Amino acid sequence: MKASLLNYQNDNFVDSEKINNAEVQVVLCFGDKEFIRTNGVYQKLRTKFPQSHILIGSTAGEINGSTMTEGDVTTTVIGFENTRVKSQNLQQYRDWE
């Protein structure tokens, strides 16, 4: 398994040096609801990782390493070498409000 944190800089996600985008199977993104909505976070992740399962959740604060921030996003990408990932959409929200 490979995993890495992605930084959001200059209105985009910066590629990880630890994992190739094509190897990413799961994207976990947590952040400020307004930031996610107004910055098109899902669309940017879907473009960068078209084959990946993407999970986004809103938070009251984001922890990245030993730093806590607000009004931002924290994103982890994961790739498994010998594991197949399958996701299920239980309920889809179109509107964050």
Side-chain angles (χ1 to χ4, degrees):
M1 178 181 97
K2 294 181 184 177
S4 183
L5 291 174
L6 291 186
N7 290 323
Y8 189 86
Q9 297 173 350
N10 300 323
D11 202 33
N12 212 342
F13 290 93
V14 178
D15 289 338
S16 168
E17 295 178 7
K18 296 180 182 179
I19 184 170
N20 183 299
N21 288 358
E23 296 176 297
V24 174
Q25 293 166 289
V26 178
V27 178
L28 304 174
C29 180
F30 299 96
D32 178 73
K33 178 171 89 169
E34 188 65 20
F35 184 91
I36 292 168
R37 187 177 61 77
T38 59
N39 287 284
V41 168
Y42 175 79
Q43 292 81 5
K44 289 174 183 172
L45 290 171
R46 176 54 60 210
T47 299
K48 193 170 203 60
F49 306 105
Q51 77 290 354
S52 300
H53 300 274
I54 299 173
L55 176 119
I56 299 176
S58 62
T59 63
E62 299 74 55
I63 300 172
N64 188 347
S66 61
T67 305
M68 181 168 165
T69 61
E70 292 183 6
D72 200 353
V73 293
T74 298
T75 306
T76 301
V77 294
I78 304 168
F80 300 96
E81 293 178 27
N82 299 308
T83 301
R84 190 174 131 223
V85 177
K86 185 175 181 180
S87 62
Q88 183 66 41
N89 186 357
L90 300 177
Q91 187 174 7
Q92 185 172 8
Y93 293 95
R94 297 253 180 227
D95 190 358
W96 284 79
E97 315 216 63

